Amino acid sequence: MHKKTHRLESRLELFFLKEGDVYVAYCPSLNLATQGDSMEEADKAFDEALQIFLEEVMESHTLDKVLQECGWKKVASRWMPPVVVSQTSKKFAFPA
């Protein structure tokens, strides 16, 4: 008997931030972040965390719920992540 497998393919936006000596890899469409001593380490840690995340949601049968909570939309039978349409920076001042 063949085990039925599901395949979800999508392109994820991944941002890298530097916080002191640490690099952070952050994926807003899954609200998932990792860190490392270099961008390469943060990226590798992200790949590992993403694999664990996917295994957990598949095992607990919560993939649909988690994706919906992260802003994904199901179009036909395919999940579509939120799309980054712009990125900007704003100047602001902290109150004294």
Side-chain angles (χ1 to χ4, degrees):
M1 180 179 245
H2 293 272
K3 183 178 178 183
K4 186 176 180 181
T5 59
H6 298 279
R7 186 166 182 91
L8 172 64
E9 291 185 13
S10 187
R11 181 166 296 279
L12 300 174
E13 298 287 336
L14 189 58
F15 296 94
F16 291 91
L17 311 166
K18 188 164 185 200
E19 296 179 359
D21 294 335
V22 176
Y23 290 84
V24 176
Y26 174 62
C27 175
S29 61
L30 292 175
N31 197 26
L32 184 62
T34 59
Q35 68 182 38
D37 292 332
S38 67
M39 280 181 48
E40 293 78 15
E41 285 184 18
D43 188 39
K44 182 178 178 187
F46 181 82
D47 290 342
E48 293 169 2
L50 179 60
Q51 186 63 40
I52 292 167
F53 167 82
L54 293 172
E55 288 171 3
E56 289 292 324
V57 296
M58 294 305 289
E59 185 176 304
S60 63
H61 305 287
T62 58
L63 178 65
D64 289 359
K65 180 181 181 209
V66 170
L67 291 180
Q68 285 175 337
E69 289 174 354
C70 289
W72 291 57
K73 303 288 182 208
K74 199 164 197 178
V75 178
S77 62
R78 186 172 174 176
W79 281 102
M80 305 298 287
V83 177
V84 176
V85 294
S86 178
Q87 183 177 348
T88 188
S89 61
K90 298 257 184 195
K91 184 176 181 178
F92 71 99
F94 287 101

